Amino acid sequence: QVRVVETGGGLVQPGGSLRLSCAASGTFFSINAMDWYRQAPGKERELVAGISWSGNTNVIDTVKDRFTILRSNDKNAVYLQMNSLKPEDTAVYYCRTFYRLGSRDLLSWGQGTQVTVSS
């Protein structure tokens, strides 16, 4: 089973920046992709950005000029660089990992990290 841990959340003023980190550890053959989701109070969880282990990225239109997703294959980690943060970016940010174990493709979620954008 893969353990996924997110770090880097916190309180930031509008216009500020944060860098979220997500690390996967445990037993697996390979990681196929890692994604960042977020869930604001009273709203559904939404995909923010994803990256395959070959480097293909996908970032939603509402943040693509402000957020960047990066990976470190040797650390089994993914990062979300968030710039020019807005109050509407306030949410719990979750990391999801797709990995292969034997012949199965599985996924694992982290516990989330809170991002609050407020003055």
Side-chain angles (χ1 to χ4, degrees), residues 2 10 13 18 20 22 27 31-35 42 50 53-54 57-58 65 68 72 82 87 95 99 102 110 115:
V2 167
Q13 292 188 342
L18 279 177
L20 305 183
C22 171
T27 303
I31 291 179
N32 299 328
M34 295 180 81
D35 307 307
W53 239 232
S54 62
T57 61
N58 175 41
D65 58 339
T68 303
S72 171
M82 305 186 294
C95 180
Y99 64 99
V115 171

Side-chain angles (χ1 to χ4, degrees), residues 11-84:
L11 173 64
V12 63
Q13 292 188 342
S17 297
L18 279 177
R19 184 178 173 103
L20 305 183
S21 299
C22 171
S25 62
T27 303
F28 54 90
F29 177 71
S30 64
I31 291 179
N32 299 328
M34 295 180 81
D35 307 307
W36 285 101
Y37 279 73
R38 67 184 179 185
Q39 187 166 20
K43 295 188 176 181
E44 293 186 356
R45 191 174 295 190
E46 66 170 348
L47 175 66
V48 178
I51 187 165
S52 70
W53 239 232
S54 62
N56 295 320
T57 61
N58 175 41
V59 182
I60 61 173
D61 288 342
T62 52
V63 305
K64 68 189 310 177
D65 58 339
R66 301 183 293 119
F67 291 10
T68 303
I69 187 167
L70 306 162
R71 80 191 190 283
S72 171
N73 288 11
D74 59 339
K75 295 181 179 180
N76 296 317
V78 65
Y79 311 94
L80 188 66
Q81 178 65 43
M82 305 186 294
N83 300 326
S84 302

Side-chain angles (χ1 to χ4, degrees), residues 84-105:
S84 302
L85 283 161
K86 303 176 180 180
E88 52 262 42
D89 295 318
T90 295
V92 179
Y93 284 71
Y94 298 91
C95 180
R96 185 181 72 170
T97 299
F98 277 103
Y99 64 99
R100 169 146 287 197
L101 181 64
S103 61
R104 296 180 296 166
D105 289 318

